[in-house]
Amino acid sequence: NCAVAWSRLGFSTAIYTMVGDDDRGRDIRQHLKEEKVMTDYIVVDKENGTNYSTILEYKGDRTILGYHEERHYILPTLPPARWVYFSSIAGNHTELNSEIITYLKETKARFGFNPGTRQMQLGLKGLKSVLEQTTVFFVNTDEAMHLLGIKNKKPDFNKILTLLQQTGPEVVVVTDGNRGSYCHTGVTSYYAPIVDVPVVQHTGCGDAYASGFIAALLYGETPAEAMRWGSMNAAGVIGHEGSQTGLLRKKDLLQLLAEHKECQASLI
């Protein structure tokens, strides 16, 4: 989702992942090529199939039933990049984490991190080495509270943001569904509302937000303005079926920003 989003927003984008030697794997590679995402680093796993998810949507709520094949990831030789984005994997976390950290130190690339379900199971201690290299850390409210061991309490976002930022990331972003998003830069904390648009489904909204946020930083915007970019990109996705259909191109995102000047980040 994020690779497609950045390609649409005007960036040269590549993806490293693993797919099976099956119809789903071939469809994914073809789709990425059509979206002008470089597929040179996609590895075809001859032994295992492509990961598969079934998403159940009902009145705006969703349940995702996912199956992840066991993988052994070996980071290929990658050219220098301005940004690297790391998300859901199922496999040799420690080894891959170490390879990514080495790449970041060698290239000085900025780093966005949004852990998937299997990575969340490692907890903050298991993710420490990655978090210490992270430029922007993205989680939703439930994930943030889970990582911090906060149970059955109304979220205190100032506390959540501060505690997460103390684990290593330069910037922490916590999305809170239709209630908006929060960001802490290490110095300043912000809240941004969502864009009020008709809801079709929520799948992919987190990816759309994260990709919009990082795209804004790549274009030289501030974290506060990046929250707006994230909100606009998520609004595009929420109004369409599928996680990529509504991902915006730069001109459309800029137009939406101009139309929704009421959607501004404010200090908290």
Side-chain angles (χ1 to χ4, degrees), residues 102-116:
T102 298
Y103 173 86
L104 294 172
K105 289 180 177 179
E106 290 177 349
T107 63
K108 308 301 181 185
R110 308 293 277 166
F111 184 51
F113 182 35
N114 172 222

Side-chain angles (χ1 to χ4, degrees), residues 11 19 98 100-101 113 133 148 163 180 203 218 253 262 266:
F11 300 102
V19 298
S98 178
I100 291 172
I101 290 168
F113 182 35
Q133 300 299 319
L148 294 170
L163 290 174
T203 302
L218 278 161
L253 192 149
E262 80 285 354
S266 56

Side-chain angles (χ1 to χ4, degrees), residues 239-251:
H240 296 82
E241 291 287 354
S243 60
Q244 296 179 18
T245 306
L247 288 171
L248 300 174
R249 301 189 185 278
K250 186 182 178 183
K251 63 181 180 63

Side-chain angles (χ1 to χ4, degrees), residues 65-138:
L65 309 175
Y67 177 75
H68 293 264
E69 295 281 359
E70 288 301 320
R71 306 288 193 202
H72 185 80
Y73 297 96
I74 301 175
L75 197 67
T77 301
L78 301 173
R82 284 190 288 169
W83 273 83
V84 173
Y85 186 75
F86 186 31
S87 192
S88 179
I89 64 167
N92 51 316
H93 299 89
T94 302
E95 183 180 348
L96 183 63
N97 291 352
S98 178
E99 292 174 348
I100 291 172
I101 290 168
T102 298
Y103 173 86
L104 294 172
K105 289 180 177 179
E106 290 177 349
T107 63
K108 308 301 181 185
R110 308 293 277 166
F111 184 51
F113 182 35
N114 172 222
T117 303
R118 300 284 185 93
Q119 292 156 304
M120 288 285 295
Q121 293 171 359
L122 300 176
L124 289 175
K125 184 177 181 180
L127 296 173
K128 178 176 173 59
S129 62
V130 178
L131 290 170
E132 289 175 342
Q133 300 299 319
T134 299
T135 308
V136 186
F137 183 48
F138 297 94

